Amino acid sequence: MEQKRTVIVTGFEPFGEHAVNASWVAVQELQKLGLGHDINLHVAEVPVEYQAVQSLLPSLWTQHLPQLVVHVGVSGMATTVTLEQCGHNQGYMRPDNCSFCPKSCCCLEGGPDCIHSVIDMDAVCKRVNSSGLGVSVSVSKDAGRYLCDYTYYTSLFLGEGRSAFVHVPPLGKPYSAEQLAQALRAVILEMLELMEHNKGKNHCLHDQ
């Protein structure tokens, strides 16, 4: 009997102008949909706090031993569901919900400047956009140097690239929570399929 795969999907708590964080609302909707009977889906709400991320993420990875961790965040500038290809180590100068900012302005002192996901986001994007889902998907290489980027880099480091980050627009601009959840489901299933297909191939995770 094939062992069930485990996927963790997180959203963020409210912050700044986002009194309701579309990312967590969409992730809760995704939990209702599920990812299919052969995948264990765990969801978690992440605080918009640098120090909380540093303590929460290692426990998520070690407790559940996931094949994939997908972090979802909201972007007021986004009009599409945006797949982030990489996380950045430096440039974290914006205070979090506790008015805290890392003194070093980085995730991991001495860590690589940028870590890429093992997943080819362009390939995922093309597949989902050609599936007739009705939600537009795009790819980005700049997750914004705030908690989204910080979380993504930390997770990419912990999971050796087996992580993804998805930015969603605010609710109703233009998509509903249900539409966002359907898009997340389609994106994650494509990611898992690509990871399965690429098993055993070597990936270069860090920029030289």
Side-chain angles (χ1 to χ4, degrees):
M1 199 173 106
E2 202 178 327
Q3 205 176 359
K4 280 192 173 190
R5 289 175 292 176
T6 297
V7 175
I8 297 172
V9 183
T10 72
F12 284 96
E13 69 178 5
F15 71 98
E17 71 204 44
H18 301 285
V20 173
N21 194 317
S23 68
W24 179 232
V25 176
V27 169
Q28 288 175 297
E29 286 295 324
L30 173 66
Q31 188 178 26
K32 293 178 197 171
L33 290 175
L35 292 172
H37 61 88
D38 59 337
I39 296 169
N40 284 320
L41 170 63
H42 295 275
V43 304
E45 186 180 25
V46 178
V48 180
E49 300 168 25
Y50 295 106
Q51 288 169 308
V53 166
Q54 285 290 2
S55 59
L56 174 65
L57 262 57
S59 66
L60 285 179
W61 278 97
T62 53
Q63 188 182 339
H64 299 293
L65 302 174
Q67 272 67 49
L68 174 66
V69 175
V70 180
H71 302 289
V72 185
V74 67
S75 168
M77 296 180 292
T79 54
T80 62
V81 170
T82 308
L83 313 180
E84 300 290 348
Q85 185 63 62
C86 51
H88 301 89
N89 192 23
Q90 305 192 39
Y92 297 95
M93 293 174 277
R94 187 175 160 196
D96 64 16
N97 275 1
C98 291
S99 303
F100 175 83
C101 195
K103 275 184 191 160
S104 61
C105 299
C106 75
C107 296
L108 182 70
E109 290 193 50
D113 284 345
C114 181
I115 305 179
H116 287 253
S117 173
V118 297
I119 299 158
D120 179 348
M121 298 303 172
D122 286 313
V124 175
C125 179
K126 280 176 191 153
R127 288 185 182 196
V128 176
N129 278 335
S130 62
S131 69
L133 188 68
V135 174
S136 187
V137 180
S138 64
V139 177
S140 156
K141 289 183 178 172
D142 183 1
R145 299 305 202 287
Y146 191 43
L147 264 297
C148 291
D149 213 341
Y150 189 88
T151 299
Y152 193 20
Y153 182 93
T154 305
S155 213
L156 285 166
F157 182 80
L158 292 167
E160 300 180 333
R162 288 178 296 109
S163 184
F165 196 100
V166 183
H167 264 123
V168 296
L171 294 175
K173 296 184 178 181
Y175 304 115
S176 67
E178 291 80 6
Q179 286 175 302
L180 291 176
Q182 291 281 4
L184 288 174
R185 187 178 193 275
V187 159
I188 293 166
L189 291 175
E190 287 294 356
M191 288 175 177
L192 287 169
E193 196 170 307
L194 270 177
M195 288 175 78
E196 196 65 30
H197 179 70
N198 291 330
K199 251 186 187 173
K201 291 185 184 176
N202 289 326
H203 292 275
C204 180
L205 303 184
H206 306 316
D207 277 359
Q208 300 302 314

